[in-house]
Amino acid sequence: MNDDKRIDGKAFSASVREKVKRQVETLQRDHGITPGLAVVLVGEDPASQVYVRNKAKQTVEAGMRSDEIRMEATATQAEVLEVVDRLNADPGIHGILVQLPLPDQIDETAVLDRIDPAKDVDGFHVINTGRLQVGLPALVPCTPRGCLMMLKDRLGDLSGLNAIVIGRSNIVGKPMAMLLLQESCTVTIAHSRTKDLPELCRRQDIVVAAVGRPHFVKGDWIAEGATVIDVGINRVPKDDGKTRLVGDVDYDEAVERAGAITPVPGGVGPMTIACLLANTITACCMANGIEEPA
Ligand code: GUN
C-alpha cells in the first residue's frame, strides 16, 4: 500500500532522459544541430567531481556534445571569467553550467552573471530569475523544474491547491514557489523564522521540503493524502560508523499520512540532471528559433 505512494524519481528521470534523447535525434535529423552542454569545475571538491562526472556521462548518453572544463583550485576570477566568455562565444555550446561551490577567491555572483542568459541552463542568472518572476519564458533552475514535473505527473492540474515551500534559497525555494504560483497554487514560503510551522503544514495539499536539515518535517505535519516532495540530501551517521542519505522529511512517518511522497535517495535527486539536459534542449531550441520537438 505504501509502495503505491512512492514517487519513483529514478524511473521518471529515465523517461525524461529518453525524451531528451529523441529530441536530440530530431534536432540532428531535421535541423543538423547537436545540442552542446559545457560544465566548468574549479577545484577538487569530491561531491562536485561526482556530480560533474554524472552530468558528463548522461549528456553523452543523450547524444549531446559534452565539454568539461576543469580548472585548478587556485584559478583566478579573471581566468574563470575568460573561460565563461569563450563558452558564451562558442556557437556549438547551448548550455553552460559552472559547478558550485566555487573556491573562496572567486566571486560567485560575478561568474554566474557573466554567463549568457540564453545559455544559463542552471537558471541562476538574474535575467532568468526576473523572467520567471514576471512570467516570461525563462530557463528555470533544474531542481524546481524536476519537482514540478513530478507534481504534475502525479496530480495533474495543480490549480487552487494549497502548497508550502519550506526553504527560501535562490536555487530551490524561491523558484519553486514561483513555479507553483504560475500553476495557480496558493503558495506559502516558510523558513527558519516561520511561526507554527507544523500547524501551517497540516493545511497544505503540497509540501516541498528544501531546508537541508535531516528529518526536519515530521509525519504529523502532513495532512492526510497530501503530496510530499523532499528535496533534502543529508548525510547522517549510522550505528555501524558508516553514513547514509536521508531527506528533510521523516519518510517512514510521513508515508503513513501522505497520498504520495518522494523517497531519498531515488526521488528528486535523479530528476535534477535529467532537467539539466531538458534545459539544454530548451536553450538550444530558443537559440535557433525553433520549436522544441515533442
Ligand atoms: N552544486 C550543487 N548543485 C548544483 C547545481 O544544481 N548547479 C550548480 N551549478 N552547482 C551545483
Side-chain angles (χ1 to χ4, degrees), residues 51 55 97-101 122 124 143 171 272:
Y51 282 137
K55 280 171 193 161
L97 180 144
V98 178
Q99 184 68 27
L100 304 178
D122 253 330
F124 294 165
T143 301
I171 295 180
T272 299

